[in-house]
Amino acid sequence: MMQNFSENSSLTHLDSSGEARMVDVSAKQPTVRIAVAAGQVRMLPETLAAIEAGNAPKGDVLGTARLAGIMAAKQTSQLIPLCHPLPLKKVEVQITPDSQLPGYQILVEVKTKAETGVEMEALTAVAVAALTLYDMAKALEKSMQIEAIRLVSKTGGKSGDYRAI
């Protein structure tokens, strides 16, 4: 038997009959919103060294992964159901070598001025940058691991600011 949901339900993406819906944000005022997400790709030290030396068979691993992250942020509403298309003002993708991992740390900052936040855009950008890094370097190592994709911080909006501990 279907549970009856009210319009005042705290489950914002369900309508009164429990069906998924896109939230109406038209009454909200656009504000500046920023989200930062992070993740990492763990690999063998030899793979890291080859990428850093520019010796990957497919070419520019990091540049391609950076571009893929930016493109993914811009396409998030096409990939994640119920996400609003947003006018992104900034997408910055940083991919930094980490010999202690060993591998790469990925950090993405996304900024907009809109009625809803950009957390999903930042997380999507990290995930796709990591997947692209894997794809570009898989000829060197298939055992690479994509790990720890998470929201680091967000500012703006009704729910206030958030910073991961």
Side-chain angles (χ1 to χ4, degrees), residues 6 21-22 32 34 37 41 44-45 56 62 66 69 76 80 84 104 130 139-140 144 151 156:
S6 72
R21 68 173 175 134
M22 187 176 202
V32 173
I34 300 170
V41 181
L44 296 171
L62 303 181
R66 236 184 328 275
T76 300
I80 308 292
H84 293 84
Y104 287 92
L140 298 169
M144 291 178 285
L151 182 65

Side-chain angles (χ1 to χ4, degrees), residues 13 22-34 83-89 111-119 121 154-160:
H13 285 75
M22 187 176 202
V23 174
D24 181 359
V25 296
S26 61
K28 295 169 98 177
Q29 288 299 313
T31 60
V32 173
R33 295 156 185 268
I34 300 170
C83 277
H84 293 84
L86 296 173
L88 301 184
K89 306 302 183 192
K111 182 178 184 179
T112 191
K113 184 173 183 181
E115 296 83 0
T116 191
V118 287
E119 296 92 341
E121 287 74 10
K154 75 140 205 112
T155 60
K158 185 173 126 184
S159 66

